[in-house]
Amino acid sequence: MSSKSYPRSRRVAQQAQQVLSELIRRELRDPRLGMLTLTEVRMSKDLGYATVYYSVLGADPATAQEILTSAAGMLRGPLGRVLGIRHSPELRFVHDELIETGARLTALIRQAVDDDQARHVESSAEEIPPAEHPEPTPERRAAEDGLEPDGV
């Protein structure tokens, strides 16, 4: 793979995501974080800044933001050492709302489909009038016409 098709900043970002996940799991033992997932890390081209996108389950995103922002300085040193780069990147944490948005859109789509199906069932019931006279059988038709039914 050539470096132009896969820039160094992207390779370092993937490694930073793995390292930060482990550091946060090991070093930050704050129960207010809930289940934290790092969804993506984006590095600047000069590797001076890392934007870390995260999602939380079972915790308030604002509280998680405060905890992560205050821990950024503590995480920066070990991250730089493990990555083997001269200057550790400045960490910026951003709550990733993509998962919540996707779940909300899925629920809306499911609701729309259910409503459409219910509407279809209601309109089908309205189109078919209740049977005042049952559909005549072949035997009944033959008797009404004065003919003998088939097979007799």
Side-chain angles (χ1 to χ4, degrees), residues 119-130:
R119 216 173 303 118
H120 179 69
V121 168
E122 289 173 5
S123 67
S124 296
E126 291 172 4
E127 290 174 7
I128 302 172

Side-chain angles (χ1 to χ4, degrees), residues 70-104:
S70 65
M74 179 189 78
L75 296 170
R76 189 175 175 187
L79 175 65
R81 283 191 289 282
V82 173
L83 293 178
I85 55 180
R86 184 171 293 158
H87 300 287
S88 297
E90 182 179 319
L91 301 174
R92 298 175 181 164
F93 290 93
V94 177
H95 179 239
D96 189 356
E97 297 177 359
L98 189 61
I99 295 172
E100 290 89 358
T101 302
R104 189 171 45 244

Side-chain angles (χ1 to χ4, degrees), residues 5 12 21 24 40 43 56 66 76 81-82 90 102 106 112 136-137 144:
S5 65
V12 173
S21 292
I24 290 171
E40 183 179 8
M43 300 289 289
V56 289
E66 290 174 20
R76 189 175 175 187
R81 283 191 289 282
V82 173
E90 182 179 319
T106 300
T137 62
E144 290 174 354

Side-chain angles (χ1 to χ4, degrees), residues 106-119:
T106 300
L108 287 172
I109 291 169
R110 188 173 293 124
Q111 177 70 36
V113 168
D114 291 346
D115 290 349
D116 189 47
Q117 287 177 344
R119 216 173 303 118

Side-chain angles (χ1 to χ4, degrees), residues 2 4 16 18 32 38 40 47 58-59 75 78 127 132 140 142:
S2 72
K4 287 194 184 260
Q18 293 171 349
R32 297 176 297 163
L38 300 184
E40 183 179 8
L47 306 179
L75 296 170
E127 290 174 7
E132 295 175 8
R140 184 172 169 196

Side-chain angles (χ1 to χ4, degrees), residues 31-36 54-68 95 100:
R32 297 176 297 163
L33 272 179
M35 290 184 59
L36 180 89
Y54 68 92
S55 65
V56 289
L57 183 64
D60 178 34
T63 303
Q65 180 71 42
E66 290 174 20
I67 294 168
L68 292 170
H95 179 239
E100 290 89 358

